[in-house]
């Protein structure tokens, strides 16, 4: 099983990897960290086109990983 995460801060990466390992030691995690998404959401609103484009780009990177 492969589980993808999109974080807006690298501080969350280890926590989620540990949670996945506890739940299923065979699961693989793929993580993309894009801190600009949180900045953009604060500046332009969470449903702005800028945030949507950023999320789609980050999800594309997850799929390509």
């Amino acid at each position: 099983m492969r589980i993808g995460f999109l974080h807006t801060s690298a501080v969350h990466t280890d926590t989620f990897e540990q949670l996945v390992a506890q739940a299923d030691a065979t699961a693989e995690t793929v993580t993309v960290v894009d801190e600009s998404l949180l900045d953009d959401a604060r500046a332009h609103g969470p449903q702005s086109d800028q945030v949507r484009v950023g999320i789609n780009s980050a999800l594309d990177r997850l799929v390509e990983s």
Side-chain angles (χ1 to χ4, degrees), residues 2 10 13 15 19-20 29 31-32 35 40-43 46 50 54-57 63:
R2 192 167 186 211
T13 303
T15 301
L19 289 169
V20 169
T29 60
T31 302
V32 169
E35 295 180 1
D40 289 344
R42 288 179 174 152
Q50 188 167 349
I55 290 171
N56 286 334
S57 174
V63 171

Side-chain angles (χ1 to χ4, degrees), residues 34-62:
D34 189 339
E35 295 180 1
S36 71
L37 291 174
L38 184 55
D39 295 334
D40 289 344
R42 288 179 174 152
H44 306 287
Q47 297 198 23
S48 68
D49 287 339
Q50 188 167 349
V51 173
R52 287 181 183 160
V53 168
I55 290 171
N56 286 334
S57 174
L59 292 175
D60 286 343
R61 287 181 295 198
L62 273 173

